[in-house]
Each structure stands twice: as C-alpha cells, then as structure tokens.
Amino acid sequence: MTALPGQLRAIVGEAHVLTRDQGDDLSPWEQDWRKRARGRALAVVRPGSAGEVAAVVQACAAAGHGIVPQGGNTGLVVGSVPDDSGTQVLLSLARLNRVREIDAANLTMTAEAGCVLQAVQAAADRAGLLFPLSLAAEGSCTIGGNLATNAGGTQVLRYGNARDLCLGLEVVTAAGDIWHGLGGLRKDNTGYDLRDLFVGSEGTLGIITAATLRLHPRPACRLTAWAALPSLEAAVGLLGLAQRHLGADLTGFEVMGRFALSLVDRHMPQLRVPLWQQAPFCVLLENSDSESEAHARSRFERLLASALEDGLVNDAVVAESLQQARQLWHIRESIPLAQAEEGLNIKHDISLPVSRIPAFCAETDALLQREIPGVRLVNFGHLGDGNLHYNVQAPAGGDPAAFLREQEERVNTLVFDQVSRHGGSISAEHGIGSLKAGTLPRYKDPVALELMRRIKQALDPQGILNPHRVLLP
Ligand code: FAD
Ligand code: ZN
C-alpha cells in the first residue's frame, strides 16, 4: 500500500508527487470550493503528459487504489476532492496546460485538459475567434473539468453547453489505455458516441487529457441591457419576444429575483444595482451582433419599445459602454458571493421547461413559505435555458449553520419533488458528485439508472475512477 507513492514518483518525478509523510501541505487539493467536505489523500500526483496519466492509472489499478481527477477544483457538488479514507490518489491535471493546435479554417482548437478556461478563451481571441463557454469560475476552472461536468454558464442559449463545444477527446481509460479520439470532425457516424459518454461523466468513466474544441466567429459587437419586469410570466414573454426580434443574436438571458439583488445591494453597495427596487424581477439580456454597434443598438431599442408597449417590461437601460456592460454582468455574477456573505444556504441547480417556470416558482415559493415561515428565496439563473439557481436561505436572524443541518434534506425533497412534478431535472449544469449521489435514485428513471450502472461496470470494473461519485454502490 505504501509502495504506491514511490512508484508514482518513478513515473512523474519526485517534485510532482506530494505526500503528508514528506511534510507536504495537501489541503488545497483536499478541500472543495464550497467548503462542504474536506478529504484526505494518500498522495497528490501531477503528471505532465497523457502517457504519464496512463502509467499513473495503471499503477493505481494494480495497487487497487481509487483515483480522483481534479482540474481547477471549482466544482460545486463535491466531486473533485478525495474522501476521508486516506487511500485515494488525487490526480491533478494542472500541468497538462498546453494549447496544442488552432485550426482557424476548421474553427477548432485542441487544448490539454488542464488549460484554464480563460486561457482557452484568450487563445481563441488571439486567433480572431471565439470560444464561447463562459462562467464566473473561468479564471480557475479547466477545460477538462468543464467537459467532465458538461458545464453550462451564460452563453448556452446561443452556443450550447460544454458538450456542444466539443468535437473530440483524448481519454485515459480505467485500464490505463489512451483513447486517441481527437479531431475536428462535425460528422462521424462510425458507431457509438464515446465522446458524449465521457463528457459529463465527472471523472467516473475515464480521465480526459485533451479535447478538440469548436470555435466560432467573433461577433462585431456585444450589447447588454437590463430590464425591470412585473413578473416571471413577463420574463418568459420577454424571452419569446427577444428570440423573435434577435434570433440567434440573443446570446444571454439571465433572470434575477428582487431578494437576490437586494443581497448584492447590501453586501456590495459599490456595484450600484439598477432598477431592483421597482420590480420583483430583473433580466439581463445580451445581443451579439455580427454587423455593427449601431445595428445592435437599433434592434435592442425596437425590442425594448415593443416590450414596454406589451407591458412585459416596466423600465430598462441599455449599457452605453463596454465598461457599463461588464458592470451589469458583474452584478449578475456577484449574486453567489453576496449570498455567501449573507450566510450558508441550500443551493439548487434545477432545470425546467421554460413554459413551466412561472407555475413552478409560484407553487414552490408558497409551499416553502408554508413549511418554513420566513424562509428567504434567492432565485436567479439562466432563464433562457430553463435553468434556475433556486436557493433557500434561513429566515432572517436565524442561525444559517443550524438551518443547513436541520432543514437541508427536507428542503431538498420539497423542491426536487416539485421539480419532478413539473418535468424538470435536479441537476442542470453542476452535476451529481457526492452531494447528490444519494438523491439521484429517487428522481432518475430506474431503467436509465440501471444502464448507467452497467456502463460504469463495463468501463471501470474495478471501480477505481472517482469512486462513489454520481453512482453509489
Ligand atoms: P473540478 O472542480 O476540478 O472537477 C469537477 C469534476 O470533474 C470532478 O468530478 C472531477 O473529478 C472531474 N474532473 C476534473 N477534471 C477532469 C478530467 N480532466 N478528466 C475527468 N474528470 C475530471 N458551472 C456551470 O456549469 N455553470 C456556471 O455558471 C458555473 N458557475 C460557477 C461559478 C463559480 C463562482 C464557481 C466556483 C463554480 C461555478 N460552476 C459553474 C461550477 C463548475 O462546474 C465549473 O466551475 C467547472 O466546470 C469545473 O471545472 P474544474 O476544472 O474546476 O473541475
Ligand atoms: Zn449557473
């Protein structure tokens, strides 16, 4: 058992295996971003190539040790840190951080798994192109982690999620083989789609070492507007109107409830949230125009005039400058931080058919208020994708830690049963990890769950890849 770190050192070099016995501090790799779990690793290993990843997997498999892949460790469902057994090997992909190739004519980039998302966006930008995946953790999350969780973010409405932006993969299997599946083909019907199987598998089926990504032309101009709305029904109405006016140029449609914005106003007063006191909801719209700023502005103005006339919008502002647009996005992205300032809370990352969102929220808000008087709802999210971050905060003046301890399971059941009743999903973009692995069987179709188990058994019969994540034994 203790021979394994020595074998790992022989594969990747002394400097790239960290252990507690040697006096190394492993805590940055053992603590998850939300501070929901702290694990204990046998070793942290940092290979520098796909070949080294394969050799590490073979050594761990031979010794019977579980492997936990980790990219930027920004995941929100406790999937990227070891358990507390002290036997799992934490495999960091951070050193695989090279952009291998950009093929501008084919609109593709091949990048290694440990490339930070922001670096991938910047590399595309330098080539005069766009890699549209965008989320608040982009300064530290990695492309491998984005694909392993099939990340969403703020541009899904137009460009799809991480899966839609991936054309090929290089993967190390549980047997320590390398599947060379890179390549920029948009059409390839040669059997089962292994790429789509590994995307979203949260490190439980294979270790992604590189990916061929789909790039897009850069828009000529991006314009952002902020609108105050009388209701969620109006938000759904405005989404439809914006889709009719802007077509594929509508690249962002985010909704924010008044209480969510009040937290930003309270904890980050310097951000100066517009219009939030006037209406129960605000919406942030983004229009990416392929012609010019003048063209974008006139289309936005026509859309907003029509929305005002239909009573869908009470008031609206269009950003005058890039800096103002960034400021508006910054407000939206600050909601989770403002919420953390307010205290621990119960997070839900749910999706529903857009048409069901108003009824879902009306019913579930009322249900929670009845069950836990005074409970506060921090409701915001990617309305254009039917994805809400429907978070539940303790009543004012209550003890947030006690609320989480005593109410989390009950609140989850109330919310998820409602989600299920309305035809939704209990995880839209963050995944299952350990946090929701116990909950999944209640809501996933039993036949689908059984097929998932058989796939796991076929690809990882020893159960060494990210054990007990997504599927419990
Ligand atoms: P990690 O956290 O390191 O890992 C996540 C999972 O993927 C783990 O199960 C891990 O084992 C596995 N994994 C990592 N790398 C590999 C690999 N190379 N091969 C196989 N498995 C691997 N998510 C969204 O979808 N949309 C958002 O808008 C969004 N906003 C966020 C905002 C903030 C402030 C934060 C902290 C997180 C946010 N997230 C969001 C969550 C998160 O999913 C993303 O940050 C990201 O996709 C995770 O990438 P990572 O490199 O940090 O992965
Ligand atoms: Zn999100």
Side-chain angles (χ1 to χ4, degrees):
M1 167 156 172
T2 44
L4 184 59
Q7 291 169 17
L8 300 178
R9 285 194 181 95
I11 297 166
V12 301
E14 285 286 325
H16 301 302
V17 178
L18 310 179
T19 56
R20 213 169 254 103
D21 307 350
Q22 265 195 177
D24 297 317
D25 176 16
L26 309 190
S27 53
W29 291 272
E30 293 176 330
Q31 172 79 67
D32 77 307
W33 194 87
R34 280 177 67 193
K35 301 204 166 28
R36 293 294 304 260
R38 172 181 282 286
R40 204 178 154 78
L42 174 71
V44 171
V45 57
R46 306 188 307 150
S49 67
E52 287 185 7
V53 173
V56 165
V57 171
Q58 284 167 16
C60 293
H65 284 263
I67 302 165
V68 181
Q70 187 180 96
N73 197 17
T74 68
L76 299 176
V77 290
V78 191
S80 54
V81 292
D83 66 15
D84 56 11
S85 66
T87 63
Q88 297 185 329
V89 171
L90 190 293
L91 193 160
S92 164
L93 280 301
R95 287 180 62 227
L96 273 76
N97 61 358
R98 240 171 12 100
V99 171
R100 291 190 193 162
E101 190 197 13
I102 293 183
D103 182 343
N106 195 45
L107 290 172
T108 50
M109 176 195 301
T110 297
E112 292 181 344
C115 287
V116 169
L117 174 54
Q118 211 164 54
V120 170
Q121 294 165 343
D125 192 61
R126 281 195 298 276
L129 296 166
L130 174 75
F131 183 63
L133 188 67
S134 177
L135 41 124
E138 63 199 20
S140 38
C141 65
T142 63
I143 207 68
N146 299 147
L147 289 166
T149 59
N150 186 24
T154 56
Q155 303 281 300
V156 175
L157 184 59
R158 162 72 178 84
Y159 300 104
N161 44 30
R163 168 171 282 123
D164 300 303
L165 296 168
C166 176
L167 293 174
L169 284 181
E170 180 185 88
V171 175
V172 171
T173 69
D177 295 323
I178 303 178
W179 170 46
H180 297 282
L182 294 172
L185 301 182
R186 282 158 180 85
K187 291 189 162 184
D188 176 17
N189 285 350
T190 52
Y192 304 148
D193 197 328
L194 299 174
R195 178 195 59 203
D196 274 357
L197 192 55
F198 288 113
V199 173
S201 66
E202 301 184 46
T204 62
L205 300 180
I207 297 170
I208 297 168
T209 50
T212 306
L213 305 168
R214 191 195 287 268
L215 304 178
H216 287 266
R218 249 186 346 207
C221 161
R222 271 188 184 171
L223 216 55
T224 306
W226 183 283
L229 279 72
S231 64
L232 266 180
E233 283 84 353
V236 172
L238 178 63
L239 174 65
L241 191 69
Q243 282 164 333
R244 284 198 294 282
H245 275 255
L246 305 176
D249 289 348
L250 179 67
T251 45
F253 196 96
E254 301 284 312
V255 73
M256 298 153 284
R258 180 158 43 199
F259 181 60
L261 290 174
S262 79
L263 294 181
V264 179
D265 184 69
R266 180 181 313 159
H267 297 288
M268 296 153 185
Q270 73 283 6
L271 291 185
R272 313 207 3 210
V273 183
L275 308 178
W276 70 273
Q277 278 152 316
Q278 303 183 11
F281 291 94
C282 285
V283 161
L284 197 158
L285 302 97
E286 188 185 74
N287 170 13
S288 296
D289 197 284
S290 50
E291 263 185 49
S292 65
E293 180 172 340
H295 186 249
R297 220 167 261 287
S298 78
R299 289 174 87 201
F300 238 168
E301 277 160 12
R302 272 206 304 279
L303 161 67
L304 292 172
S306 168
L308 277 163
E309 207 178 287
D310 295 351
L312 297 174
V313 161
N314 300 345
D315 200 355
V317 289
V318 179
E320 287 300 327
S321 62
L322 198 62
Q323 196 201 344
Q324 234 180 51
R326 283 210 187 104
Q327 171 97 358
L328 294 176
W329 274 107
H330 189 46
I331 293 169
R332 156 64 185 88
E333 284 168 356
S334 299
I335 295 172
L337 286 177
Q339 211 191 331
E341 290 283 315
E342 186 72 9
L344 289 168
N345 53 81
I346 304 172
K347 286 192 197 298
H348 302 110
D349 161 43
I350 55 175
S351 64
L352 294 146
V354 171
S355 52
R356 304 295 288 268
I357 284 181
F360 166 84
C361 289
E363 280 173 26
T364 314
D365 290 5
L367 175 70
L368 288 170
Q369 289 297 349
R370 256 197 330 270
E371 295 287 324
I372 309 168
V375 78
R376 297 173 299 164
L377 296 168
V378 185
N379 190 2
F380 64 99
H382 320 286
L383 186 78
D385 316 322
N387 177 190
L388 292 179
H389 298 307
Y390 188 85
N391 300 340
V392 182
Q393 196 109 28
D399 172 4
F403 177 69
L404 201 68
R405 217 172 33 245
E406 290 157 17
Q407 302 284 7
E408 185 170 23
E409 220 174 294
R410 177 162 163 241
V411 167
N412 284 347
T413 304
L414 289 170
V415 172
F416 292 154
D417 283 0
Q418 277 288 107
V419 167
S420 174
R421 204 166 296 134
H422 284 272
S425 163
I426 66 161
S427 175
E429 58 174 10
H430 296 160
I432 297 297
S434 321
L435 212 55
K436 294 183 189 164
T439 314
L440 188 65
R442 183 177 165 101
Y443 300 100
K444 190 88 184 169
D445 177 273
V447 175
L449 205 61
E450 177 54 25
L451 290 173
M452 282 169 60
R453 285 189 196 289
R454 288 198 218 159
I455 289 168
K456 171 72 176 171
Q457 176 64 27
L459 268 63
D460 180 19
Q462 245 185 300
I464 58 164
L465 292 180
N466 220 357
H468 306 176
R469 268 67 203 261
V470 183
L471 292 169
L472 291 178

